Amino acid sequence: MVRRQLAAALAAVALLSSAAQAEDAVKVGLILPMTGQQASTGKQIDAAVKLYQAVNGSTAAGKKIEVILKDDTGVADVAKRLAQELVVNDKVAFLAGFGLTPIALAVAPIATQAKVPEVVMAAGTSSITDASPFVVRTSFTLAQSAVPMAEWAVKNGINKVVTLVSDFGPGIDAEKSFTERFKSDGGTVIESLRVPLRSPDFSPVLQKAADAKPDAVFVFVPSGQGAQFVKQFVERGLDKSGIKLIATGDVTDDDQLNGMGDVVIGVINTHNYSAAHDSAANKAFVDAFKKANAGMRPNFMAVGGWDGMHLIYEALKMTGGATDGDTLLAAMKGMAWESPRGPISIDPQTRDIVQNIYVRKVEKKDGELYNVEFATIPNVKDPVKAAKK
Ligand code: PHB
């Protein structure tokens, strides 16, 4: 055979085998806000997913795991269209990501119809897991953090509170679950303030909060808005008013915390993840994440992405590579593992995450600001769903 013919034959074989490999690949449609107001969430999760594959390899159950990243720009209608395309054209076995509640909710009917698992790595409204039997969550719910914050506040002499939340699903959950527990433990909520999700101006509500003279303001704003909130808190003089700031850890987000300045030192907040969490698994995660991302510190969104990938890999291993939705869901239900945040599991009844919630205080360590955990509430199930039973 002449050399040219041989080369052509070899090229044809290579083409065929790569086609076979591609057919054998398991595709994960990763829908994230890579641009727009929520872009920091997209950046964190994308980095965590890439790191997971770099550390654990790009195959599971003998199949190549191919991640297809799509930018939803933070808009639900865009995410819905992308999810449809990923299911119909790319034949993805998983839909994953979801940086905002309205996006996770908009995609849920597609997951149901296509019988494709929807792995929610970021959004935190309790009802998301009710929107489809194919939703599984590796992030958190706002009620998980807000209830322990209310309990801590009453125990620590805070009796009168103004709540201030972002006016959409997770903010309303935070407001409601904080208020219910705070009242039943004997506290009084004197005012409930809400700010719009898009381009919020916190000044007017901060003025109202100051005028009400509470012992503390309880705050939820989504990841990415904490720094601006703190800036306006200081501009309005609340840091010097004697009114305490208590919050869900979304506000003192590791992604922005270090830039907030010493004014946040001492702020008490409750959450599922701190980059300062003291475990070998977390140290390895933080070190590898920083190394791969020019020093960027992972936040709770990154951990939701990391664990979402773990769930996908381990489910595939359990099914021996089978990708039908019902089999994958059965594998995911009840799965338990050690995350960088601590021990976690998927509640087999609700498909929601069960995890420790930590009470933390912002402190300076080695010249950097961290959420330092000082108390642990173990194995917290979503309180909203627990109350319904
Ligand atoms: C949500 O959209 O559910 C969400 C987004 C950011 C957060 C928390 C919840 O920090």
Side-chain angles (χ1 to χ4, degrees):
M1 206 169 1
V2 287
R3 198 173 276 261
R4 215 173 332 131
Q5 277 172 320
L6 181 67
L10 283 175
V13 169
L15 206 69
L16 275 177
S17 70
S18 80
Q21 227 173 33
E23 223 166 73
D24 222 30
V26 173
K27 292 180 186 167
V28 178
L30 182 62
I31 302 177
L32 291 172
M34 299 306 297
T35 54
Q37 190 179 281
Q38 238 52 44
S40 60
T41 295
K43 192 175 168 191
Q44 286 272 351
I45 295 179
D46 176 38
V49 165
K50 291 199 165 91
L51 181 65
Y52 191 89
Q53 294 208 289
V55 171
N56 297 284
S58 59
T59 59
K63 295 196 174 187
K64 183 152 182 58
I65 312 300
E66 188 188 323
V67 176
I68 306 173
L69 173 64
K70 299 282 182 187
D71 177 11
D72 62 30
T73 70
V75 176
D77 281 345
V78 176
K80 202 171 165 182
R81 177 177 54 75
L82 292 170
Q84 244 144 8
E85 287 170 8
L86 285 162
V87 165
V88 175
N89 301 341
D90 297 294
K91 314 244 175 331
V92 296
F94 299 88
L95 290 164
F98 313 108
L100 284 170
T101 286
I103 291 173
L105 289 174
V107 171
I110 297 169
T112 304
Q113 211 200 354
K115 290 177 165 278
V116 168
E118 175 178 342
V119 180
V120 176
M121 297 169 158
T125 302
S126 287
S127 63
I128 292 171
T129 44
D130 299 332
S132 165
F134 289 90
V135 167
V136 186
R137 174 155 38 204
T138 59
S139 45
F140 50 85
T141 74
L142 268 300
Q144 281 181 323
S145 312
V147 170
M149 190 69 257
E151 288 169 349
W152 185 91
V154 175
K155 279 192 200 131
N156 288 273
I158 293 171
N159 300 309
K160 280 190 304 177
V161 161
V162 169
T163 62
L164 195 174
V165 302
S166 189
D167 192 5
F168 74 125
I172 292 159
D173 275 3
E175 177 192 286
K176 199 163 172 270
S177 42
F178 178 90
T179 301
E180 277 174 13
R181 181 53 56 95
F182 193 61
K183 280 186 177 167
S184 73
D185 285 4
T188 311
V189 172
I190 48 180
E191 202 157 358
S192 306
L193 304 168
R194 296 180 184 177
V195 285
L197 169 63
R198 306 278 168 199
S199 315
D201 178 7
F202 300 108
S203 279
V205 284
L206 282 169
Q207 191 56 54
K208 276 192 191 168
D211 293 346
K213 299 196 170 24
D215 300 327
V217 192
F218 166 73
V219 181
F220 161 79
V221 294
S223 183
Q225 292 189 5
Q228 199 210 334
F229 170 78
V230 167
K231 184 168 166 271
Q232 293 191 304
F233 189 85
V234 174
E235 279 167 7
R236 281 275 149 191
L238 270 87
D239 59 320
K240 300 202 171 63
S241 66
I243 299 170
K244 289 193 179 72
L245 172 60
I246 55 176
T248 66
D250 308 73
V251 178
T252 55
D253 182 350
D254 270 302
D255 196 51
Q256 296 188 327
L257 180 62
N258 212 18
M260 290 182 189
D262 289 358
V263 52
V264 287
I265 290 176
V267 170
I268 305 289
N269 65 91
T270 43
H271 221 210
N272 60 340
Y273 177 69
S274 167
H277 178 68
D278 190 11
S279 74
N282 187 48
K283 280 199 179 70
F285 173 69
V286 173
D287 288 350
F289 191 95
K290 283 185 166 174
K291 211 169 182 179
N293 296 286
M296 178 165 75
R297 191 194 285 185
N299 72 352
F300 59 99
M301 295 301 189
V303 168
W306 173 272
D307 286 323
M309 284 304 279
H310 182 84
L311 181 68
I312 289 170
Y313 270 54
E314 294 304 311
L316 281 169
K317 288 181 198 168
M318 279 179 76
T319 67
T323 55
D324 73 278
D326 290 320
T327 309
L328 285 171
L329 256 293
M332 289 174 166
K333 288 176 187 174
M335 199 184 282
W337 67 98
E338 194 196 348
S339 157
R341 67 187 108 171
I344 64 173
S345 66
I346 301 298
D347 185 329
Q349 267 84 45
T350 63
R351 293 160 278 102
D352 218 334
I353 187 158
V354 182
Q355 59 190 334
N356 294 348
I357 295 296
Y358 305 92
V359 189
R360 307 102 55 90
K361 186 182 198 173
V362 179
E363 290 177 15
K364 204 167 221 176
K365 273 175 52 183
D366 306 324
E368 288 192 38
L369 296 173
Y370 281 100
N371 292 295
V372 178
E373 297 164 351
F374 65 88
T376 305
I377 300 109
N379 304 324
V380 179
K381 290 189 179 191
D382 174 38
V384 174
K385 280 186 278 288
K388 272 195 205 147
K389 274 187 210 143

